[in-house]
C-alpha cells in the first residue's frame, strides 16, 4: 500500500505516524460556499429585521428613526464580522468552520496539531490575498503549486486542511473452508511473501466474493501460476491456492494460529508447547 | 522477519477489541470537548490512547493486514485530535497576562523593531498625501482624477455646514458601523496584500494617501478647510497611524519573502508573519477606537478648541506609547514561536 500523493505523514509524540489525507480545492470550495451562505444569510436576515422594524416605526413617526440608522450600523458590523471574524473564531475554537464541518474537513498545522488563535488569524487574514483577482484564483494556483494543497494563508500560517477518516475494523482473513490435510501435505513449510505480494493477495481475497466465479479464477490465475512455480506447489483451483499460501505465509508459526496454517500434526505439538504468552 | 512469538491477526484483534471500542466510544463522546467528559473518563482516556498507540505499533511491526492497521490509524488519529485538541489545552496559565503583555509591551516593541518598514510605510502614505493635498490646492480639478466628483461635492457641502447641529446618536452608530466595516477592512487588506512582495501594501498606502490628501485639499479649496481639519484632528492620529502600521506590516512580510537572509523563504515568511501579527491586531484595535471617536466625537458640536486640544493630546499620547512603552521589560518565553 503506497500512500497517495495527497497523503501527508505526521509523527506524534507517541511516535505514531498518521497519514492525513489533504483536502482538495473542490471539497474546500463546497465547504466555503456553505460558510458564505450561512454568514451572508445571517447578515441578510439581520438586514431584513432592521428594515421591517424601520418600516414599522416609520408608519408611526413618519420618518426613519435614529434607531433604524443604528440598526444599519449593526448590519455593517455584522458584515465586517462575516468577512474577518467568523472564520478566525470557529477555526481557533473548534478547528473547523460549520461549512468545513458539514463536508468533513478540519484545519491542522502542518505538524498535525490543532491550530491556535495566531494561525487561525493569519490564515484568514491572508484570505484577502487568496481570493484575488476573482474566485480564489490566487489561492487555487498556490494550492496547485504547494505539496499540501495550501493556499497562501495556509502557507503563511503553516496550516493545512485535512479530511479526517474513520475506518471501521475489518475482520481478519480466515481460511474457509478449513484446509484439508491433502491440501497441506505439499504446501512448503516456510513461505515468504514480500509486502507487495501480501497486499495484492490480501486485496484479492477480500474482494473475491464480490467477483463472478469466472473472473475470480481469471484474476487468481494471473499470479497463482507464477507463485506456485516459485514455491513448487500446485493446486487445481488458483483462488484456493492463493488462500492457502496467504494463510500459511501470514499465520504459520504465530501464537494461536489456526490449524489450517500449519501441518496438522506439527500444530498440535506447537499449541501444546506455546501456552499463553 | 521474525514473527514467531506474535499473535495471529485474528487472535490479536479478538483480544484487544475491547479497549479499541472503549476508546472509540470515549472519542466520540469527547468530540464536543474533553471537558464535557466525566472525570473518570478523562483519566481513562490517556492510558487508553497510549495503549492503542502501542497496538498500532505492534500491528505495523507484525505486518497485520491493511484494514486492521487503517482502523487503528483512524482510531488513534481521532483520539489524537481530541487529546491534543483546542479544548485539551484548557486555560493556559497567564492568558490574561499575555493579553496585557501584548498591548503594553509586545505591540510597541514590534513597531520599534520593524521601524524601517513602518517608516517606509509612513513615507509611502504621507508623501502622496501631501502631494495630493498641494496639487489640489493649486488646481482643485486635480481631485476629480483621484476621487469621483459625485463623492466630493456632497462631502464638501457637509463640511461647509459645520458641526453646530452635531450628530444624532443613531447617525453616529450607523457611521461607527460604516467606519469599522470600511476602515478596518482596508487596513487588514493592506496587510494581507503585502504577501506579494510588499507591492499590494505599497499600492494601498499610496492610493489611500493620495485620495485622502486630495479630499482634504479639495474641501479646503472650497473654503471649508478649517472644518475638515477640526473633524480629522480627533481621530486622525489613530486612523492614519493604524493604516500606516498595517501597511508597514504588509511591507514587512513582503520583504521577508524577498530577502529571507539565511532562512528558506517560506520559513522566513512564517516567522515574520507570526512576529508582526501583534502589530496588525493593534492596528485593528486602533481603528475600532478611531471609529468610535470619529462617529461620536469628531462630528459632535463640541467647540473646535476643545477638539483640537483633545486630538493633539491623543496624538502625543500615541507617539509616546509607540516610542516608550515596554522598554526595559523582560521578554517572557514565547512558546508559540517556531524553532
Amino acid at each position: 500500500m503506497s500512500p497517495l500523493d495527497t497523503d501527508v505523514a505526521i509523527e506524534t509524540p507517541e511516535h505514531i505516524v498518521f497519514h492525513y489525507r489533504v483536502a482538495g480545492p473542490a471539497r474546500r470550495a463546497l465547504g466555503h460556499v456553505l460558510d458564505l451562505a450561512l454568514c451572508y444569510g445571517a447578515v441578510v436576515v439581520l438586514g431584513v429585521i432592521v428594515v421591517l422594524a424601520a418600516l414599522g416605526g416609520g408608519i408611526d413617526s413618519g420618518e426613519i428613526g435614529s434607531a433604524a440608522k443604528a440598526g444599519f450600523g449593526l448590519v455593517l458590523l455584522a458584515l465586517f464580522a462575516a468577512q474577518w471574524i467568523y472564520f478566525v473564531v470557529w477555526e481557533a475554537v473548534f478547528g473547523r468552520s460549520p461549512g468545513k464541518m458539514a463536508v468533513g474537513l478540519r484545519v491542522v498545522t502542518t505538524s498535525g496539531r490543532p491550530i491556535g488563535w495566531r494561525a487561525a488569524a493569519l490564515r484568514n487574514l491572508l484570505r484577502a490575498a487568496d481570493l484575488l483577482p476573482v474566485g480564489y484564483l490566487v489561492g487555487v494556483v498556490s494550492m496547485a503549486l504547494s505539496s499540501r494543497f495550501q493556499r497562501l494563508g495556509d502557507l503563511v500560517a503553516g496550516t493545512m486542511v485535512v479530511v479526517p477518516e474513520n475506518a471501521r475494523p475489518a475482520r481478519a482473513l480466515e481460511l474457509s473452508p478449513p484446509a484439508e490435510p491433502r491440501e497441506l501435505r505439499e504446501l512448503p513449510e516456510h513461505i515468504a511473501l514480500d509486502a507487495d505480494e501480501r497486499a495484492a493477495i490480501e486485496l484479492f481475497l477480500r474482494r473475491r466474493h464480490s467477483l463472478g466465479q469466472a473472473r475470480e479464477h481469471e484474476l487468481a490465475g494471473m499470479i497463482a501460476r507464477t507463485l506456485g512455480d516459485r514455491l513448487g506447489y500446485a493446486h487445481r483451483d488458483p483462488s484456493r491456492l492463493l488462500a492457502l499460501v496467504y494463510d500459511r505465509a501470514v499465520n504459520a508459526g504465530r501464537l494461536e494460529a489456526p490449524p489450517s496454517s500449519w501441518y496438522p500434526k506439527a500444530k498440535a505439538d506447537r499449541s501444546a508447547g506455546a501456552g499463553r504468552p | 522477519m521474525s514473527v514467531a512469538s506474535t499473535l495471529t491477526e485474528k487472535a490479536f484483534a479478538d483480544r484487544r477489541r475491547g479497549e479499541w471500542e472503549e476508546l472509540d466510544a470515549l472519542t466520540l463522546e469527547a468530540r464536543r470537548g474533553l471537558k464535557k467528559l466525566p472525570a473518570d473518563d478523562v483519566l481513562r482516556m490517556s492510558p487508553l490512547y497510549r495503549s492503542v498507540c502501542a497496538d498500532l505499533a505492534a500491528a505495523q511491526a507484525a505486518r497485520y493486514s491493511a484494514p486492521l492497521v487503517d482502523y487503528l490509524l483512524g482510531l488513534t488519529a481521532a483520539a489524537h485530535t481530541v487529546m491534543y485538541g483546542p479544548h485539551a489545552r484548557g486555560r493556559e496559565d497567564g492568558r490574561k497576562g499575555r493579553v496585557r503583555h501584548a498591548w503594553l509591551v509586545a505591540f510597541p516593541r514590534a513597531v520599534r523593531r520593524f521601524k524601517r518598514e513602518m517608516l517606509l510605510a509612513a513615507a509611502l502614505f504621507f508623501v502622496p498625501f501631501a502631494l495630493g493635498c498641494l496639487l489640489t490646492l493649486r488646481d482643485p480639478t486635480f481631485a476629480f482624477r483621484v476621487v469621483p466628483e459625485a463623492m466630493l461635492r456632497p462631502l464638501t457641502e457637509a463640511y461647509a455646514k459645520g458641526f453646530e447641529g452635531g450628530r444624532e446618536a443613531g447617525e453616529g452608530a450607523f457611521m461607527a458601523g460604516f467606519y469599522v466595516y470600511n476602515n478596518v477592512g482596508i487596513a487588514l487588506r493592506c496587510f494581507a496584500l503585502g504577501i506579494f512582495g510588499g507591492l499590494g501594501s505599497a499600492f494601498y498606502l499610496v492610493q489611500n494617501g493620495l485620495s485622502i490628501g486630495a479630499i482634504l485639499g479639495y474641501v479646503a479649496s472650497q473654503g471649508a478647510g478649517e472644518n475638515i481639519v477640526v473633524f480629522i484632528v480627533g481621530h486622525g492620529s489613530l486612523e492614519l497611524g493604524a493604516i500606516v502600521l498595517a501597511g508597514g506590516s504588509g511591507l514587512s512580510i513582503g520583504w521577508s519573502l524577498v530577502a529571507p537572509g539565511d532562512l528558506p523563504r517560506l520559513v522566513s515568511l512564517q516567522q515574520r508573519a507570526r512576529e508582526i501579527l501583534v502589530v496588525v491586531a493593534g492596528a485593528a484595535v486602533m481603528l475600532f477606537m478611531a471609529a468610535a471617536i470619529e462617529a461620536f466625537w469628531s462630528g459632535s458640536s463640541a467647540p473646535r478648541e476643545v477638539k483640537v486640544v483633545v486630538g493633539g493630546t491623543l496624538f502625543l499620547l500615541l507617539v509616546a506609547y509607540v516610542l516608550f512603552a515596554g522598554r526595559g521589560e523582560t521578554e517572557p518565553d514565547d512558546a508559540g514561536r517556531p524553532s
Side-chain angles (χ1 to χ4, degrees):
Chain A
M1 177 189 66
S2 64
L4 299 170
D5 62 355
T6 52
D7 275 18
V8 174
I10 303 289
E11 190 174 347
T12 74
E14 292 81 14
H15 297 293
I16 296 298
V17 177
F18 296 121
H19 287 272
Y20 269 132
R21 192 149 67 84
V22 184
R27 197 161 182 170
R28 288 176 65 172
L30 183 62
H32 190 63
V33 167
L34 292 176
D35 275 324
L36 288 185
L38 192 66
C39 275
Y40 288 94
V43 171
V44 167
V45 167
L46 187 62
V48 167
I49 289 174
V50 169
V51 168
L52 288 181
L55 286 180
I59 291 167
D60 289 341
S61 65
E63 60 171 17
I64 296 181
S66 83
K69 281 188 185 162
F72 284 115
L74 210 60
V75 172
L76 284 172
L77 277 182
L79 207 56
F80 174 80
Q83 280 185 4
W84 299 102
I85 297 178
Y86 169 86
F87 283 103
V88 177
V89 172
W90 277 102
E91 289 179 6
V93 176
F94 297 102
R96 57 217 314 208
S97 58
K100 287 192 179 67
M101 208 179 294
V103 294
L105 300 176
R106 175 178 287 280
V107 188
V108 295
T109 67
T110 46
S111 52
R113 307 280 303 268
I115 67 170
W117 283 97
R118 257 203 266 199
L122 277 176
R123 78 183 292 280
N124 288 305
L125 276 175
L126 266 292
R127 200 176 277 286
D130 274 311
L131 51 76
L132 289 177
V134 67
Y136 281 90
L137 193 61
V138 167
V140 170
V141 170
S142 161
M143 284 166 89
L145 295 178
S146 77
S147 58
R148 301 187 186 105
F149 280 142
Q150 290 167 296
R151 59 176 179 83
L152 292 181
D154 287 319
L155 288 172
V156 170
T159 58
M160 59 185 179
V161 180
V162 298
V163 189
E165 281 164 298
N166 268 338
R168 300 317 312 163
R171 293 168 53 86
L173 280 172
E174 284 177 80
L175 188 62
S176 82
E180 298 161 19
R182 187 171 47 81
E183 287 176 314
L184 292 176
R185 205 167 298 138
E186 287 171 16
L187 195 61
E189 190 169 346
H190 295 293
I191 295 180
L193 297 178
D194 68 29
D196 286 346
E197 289 168 340
R198 268 181 65 144
I201 296 177
E202 188 181 295
L203 206 57
F204 168 74
L205 292 177
R206 282 195 189 281
R207 290 183 183 170
R208 65 173 168 162
H209 300 295
S210 61
L211 305 167
Q213 203 171 23
R215 181 69 177 149
E216 180 187 337
H217 275 244
E218 187 191 349
L219 284 175
M222 289 176 180
I223 162 169
R225 170 71 65 80
T226 344
L227 198 62
D229 286 350
R230 195 178 85 197
L231 302 169
Y233 182 64
H235 196 287
R236 256 181 314 107
D237 178 352
S239 178
R240 181 71 177 165
L241 179 141
L242 290 182
L244 285 165
V245 165
Y246 178 81
D247 184 45
R248 173 149 298 181
V250 168
N251 290 329
R254 297 206 170 183
L255 303 176
E256 298 184 24
S260 60
S261 66
W262 207 244
Y263 287 115
K265 186 141 189 347
K267 190 254 152 196
D269 298 339
R270 212 159 252 282
S271 67
R276 283 173 188 282
Chain B
M1 153 176 98
S2 136
V3 292
S5 59
T6 52
L7 288 164
T8 61
E9 183 174 328
K10 184 172 182 305
F12 177 73
D14 287 347
R15 274 188 198 179
R16 302 291 307 147
R17 180 151 295 149
E19 288 206 354
W20 298 345
E21 279 164 5
E22 196 183 348
L23 182 66
D24 196 24
L26 276 182
T27 307
L28 203 65
E29 217 177 316
R31 280 277 156 77
R32 271 178 279 145
L34 208 52
K35 281 185 215 155
K36 301 246 167 81
L37 288 182
D40 286 349
D41 285 351
V42 176
L43 286 179
R44 182 87 185 103
M45 184 103 192
S46 175
L48 213 48
Y49 169 65
R50 282 197 301 274
S51 83
V52 177
C53 281
D55 287 342
L56 173 60
Q60 282 170 330
R63 309 241 223 137
Y64 291 142
S65 69
L68 179 73
V69 173
D70 284 351
Y71 166 65
L72 289 175
L73 272 174
L75 193 56
T76 40
H80 174 268
T81 307
V82 171
M83 300 280 297
Y84 293 93
H87 298 286
R89 274 187 313 221
R91 188 153 305 197
E92 278 166 28
D93 38 18
R95 166 154 288 189
K96 266 188 189 161
R98 209 168 263 227
V99 170
R100 225 188 97 218
H101 175 264
W103 299 130
L104 290 184
V105 183
F107 170 74
R109 265 196 187 175
V111 173
R112 290 195 296 269
R113 185 166 158 213
F114 299 107
K115 59 173 174 288
R116 218 178 32 155
E117 287 89 342
M118 301 305 161
L119 289 175
L120 179 60
L124 283 172
F125 183 84
F126 284 111
V127 170
F129 176 87
L131 218 60
C133 192
L134 290 176
L135 286 176
T136 312
L137 281 176
R138 275 180 51 179
D139 172 18
T141 57
F142 174 80
F144 301 148
R145 296 191 201 169
V146 188
V147 185
E149 189 173 353
M151 191 186 136
L152 276 171
R153 293 214 184 273
L155 210 61
T156 312
E157 285 164 25
Y159 283 116
K161 266 196 285 184
F163 311 106
E164 279 71 39
R167 248 183 196 173
E168 53 168 336
E171 172 87 16
F174 172 74
M175 289 314 288
F178 175 76
Y179 294 140
V180 166
Y181 171 72
N182 191 55
N183 298 355
V184 184
I186 286 177
L188 295 183
R189 220 163 274 129
C190 187
F191 161 70
L193 299 193
I195 183 90
F196 304 116
L199 294 179
S201 306
F203 171 78
Y204 260 94
L205 285 167
V206 170
Q207 193 233 347
N208 274 295
L210 198 61
S211 35
I212 295 176
I215 291 173
L216 188 67
Y218 183 78
V219 174
S221 74
Q222 304 302 306
E226 198 186 330
N227 279 347
I228 193 170
V229 168
V230 167
F231 180 77
I232 287 179
V233 76
H235 60 266
S237 49
L238 280 172
E239 191 172 283
L240 304 185
I243 295 280
V244 165
L245 290 182
S249 306
L251 292 179
S252 168
I253 59 168
W255 188 246
S256 76
L257 201 57
V258 174
D262 295 335
L263 297 169
R265 276 178 217 282
L266 186 59
V267 176
S268 158
L269 174 67
Q270 289 173 341
Q271 258 182 26
R272 180 60 57 83
R274 291 184 82 86
E275 288 164 1
I276 209 79
L277 187 60
V278 68
V279 179
V280 181
V285 170
M286 280 166 71
L287 282 169
F288 273 99
M289 288 156 60
I293 296 173
E294 185 171 359
F296 297 111
W297 168 256
S298 298
S300 73
S301 55
R304 56 190 52 197
E305 294 77 15
V306 179
K307 280 188 184 174
V308 170
V309 168
V310 168
T313 314
L314 206 58
F315 173 74
L316 289 178
L317 279 177
L318 188 65
V319 170
Y321 165 63
V322 168
L323 287 185
F324 301 113
R327 281 194 196 270
E329 296 249 354
T330 49
E331 193 77 28
D333 301 338
D334 191 349
R337 188 162 296 175
S339 49

